[in-house]
Amino acid sequence: MLILPENADHAGILGRMKITLVRGDITQQATDVVVNAANSSLLGGGGVDGAIHRHGGPEILAECRQLRASRYGKGLPTGQAVATTAGKLPARWVIHTVGPVHSVKEDRSGLLASCYRESLRVADELGARSVAFPAISTGVYRWPMEDAARIVLGTVRSADTRIDDVTFVLFDVEAYQTFERVLRGLGPTDEEIEAVLAARPSEHWEKLFALADALTDADLEVTWEGGPEPGEEGVSEMPHAIYSDALDAVLSVLVGLQVIVPFDWSAWHRATPLFPDGNGLDQAPVADAARLATTFIRAERFSEGTIQEAIQSGALHAILRRLRHWYQNERQ
């Protein structure tokens, strides 16, 4: 679910974690934790790092120097995080993390994700419930904003954390709009999708499985109409798939169950090599069965024969099998 609060900041409720995007100054965020895009020395620098030290005062630098004299004599490694006081900032703590420099020759996305994951881990250890992040590595470290947004939003919302409220503080309109677009494209979490499925009445699920059980081999055969006639010239009707009434009924119930979920299905399809043919779906969250159903049914609008592909590859049966197992054994 995506909501637009009255203050025009953009927020998404993702599972039990609230993710909010704001345009503003991270030093003004009254969250439990603000995250500093630090350099390895922990002794201050430019950008977010410099602003946090200036506004937070000498207490932050004093604790950073203690860390350098003890645990981090060679500096804080890239992707790791450590906490200090927040000094005069409205936050309670500052968590310092070192982002990677972007490289076109080396995939450093794991290090960027680690900055956020480790920051949340440290925040949990502190007992914090709210965290404000900058867009780490997107400044002088030249990480492309859209790629960074995909990495960090995906990392944060899938993190195993007790944090309730995460705010991304974006410096300018372009960064804000990029994060907003990516956040919308990510769609609902596994928990949100499962909650929607669980809310559907039992009779709807029983109808789906009864229709699926009644499908015959003939019902699963696909015929094609249209296309050029032999010797025909000029524009002709494009060939299109014809599905049986029995299969159409199954697909209609899937849609009616709200198994078709709003998300960037094409990006998910490209990034999930195990699932396009249904392999591995039995061990996956039921939300992935919903996403895969979306991929095939929505793609049918743009590419004739997508449902036929799902039948022939076994993906349709894998979707129905995973949904049935969830309904019989996991639904609450």
Side-chain angles (χ1 to χ4, degrees), residues 59-88:
E59 295 90 347
I60 298 176
L61 182 58
E63 288 197 16
C64 285
R65 284 175 172 159
Q66 291 175 5
L67 289 168
R68 284 298 307 275
S70 55
R71 295 166 55 189
Y72 299 107
K74 295 182 179 180
L76 181 65
T78 301
Q80 294 190 21
V82 66
T84 67
T85 179
K88 298 177 182 178

Side-chain angles (χ1 to χ4, degrees), residues 70-154:
S70 55
R71 295 166 55 189
Y72 299 107
K74 295 182 179 180
L76 181 65
T78 301
Q80 294 190 21
V82 66
T84 67
T85 179
K88 298 177 182 178
L89 298 177
R92 298 176 64 188
W93 299 282
V94 173
I95 291 178
H96 307 265
T97 188
V98 181
V101 176
H102 183 259
S103 171
V104 296
K105 298 180 180 179
E106 178 185 357
D107 181 8
R108 298 175 180 171
S109 57
L111 288 171
L112 182 58
S114 179
C115 290
Y116 290 83
R117 203 160 33 240
E118 287 297 297
S119 294
L120 291 173
R121 180 187 61 78
V122 173
D124 280 334
E125 291 177 352
L126 293 170
R129 303 309 293 266
S130 59
V131 176
F133 283 105
I136 297 167
S137 288
T138 60
V140 295
Y141 287 178
R142 303 185 304 279
W143 206 290
M145 189 64 70
E146 185 157 350
D147 189 50
R150 282 195 297 270
I151 293 167
V152 305
L153 286 168

Side-chain angles (χ1 to χ4, degrees), residues 2-5 8-12 19-22 176 180 183-184:
L2 297 172
I3 61 173
L4 196 61
D9 291 337
H10 183 77
I19 291 182
T20 304
L21 311 181
V22 300
Y176 177 92
E180 180 183 34
L183 180 58
R184 287 186 182 277

Side-chain angles (χ1 to χ4, degrees), residues 265-266 294-306:
W265 60 270
S266 59
T294 300
T295 298
F296 283 112
I297 294 174
R298 193 177 296 175
E300 182 72 16
R301 303 174 188 173
F302 307 103
S303 177
E304 291 284 352
T306 303

Side-chain angles (χ1 to χ4, degrees), residues 5-25:
E6 292 181 0
N7 64 3
D9 291 337
H10 183 77
I13 308 302
L14 300 174
R16 61 179 176 78
M17 178 193 291
K18 178 182 177 184
I19 291 182
T20 304
L21 311 181
V22 300
R23 289 162 289 179
D25 183 349

Side-chain angles (χ1 to χ4, degrees), residues 183-260:
L183 180 58
R184 287 186 182 277
L186 288 175
T189 62
D190 289 357
E191 292 80 6
E192 287 181 315
I193 293 173
E194 188 165 354
V196 169
L197 300 182
R200 306 310 298 162
S202 295
E203 55 265 28
H204 290 190
W205 289 105
E206 298 294 345
K207 179 181 179 181
L208 171 66
F209 302 133
L211 289 169
D213 288 341
L215 288 173
T216 66
D217 290 342
D219 293 328
L220 296 173
E221 291 180 359
V222 180
T223 58
W224 289 80
E225 291 187 357
E229 296 293 334
E232 183 181 2
E233 296 182 359
V235 177
S236 61
E237 181 184 8
M238 293 296 294
H240 57 278
I242 304 295
Y243 301 110
S244 69
D245 291 342
L247 181 58
D248 277 339
V250 170
L251 300 176
S252 294
V253 175
L254 279 172
V255 174
L257 285 167
Q258 297 184 16
V259 171
I260 309 306

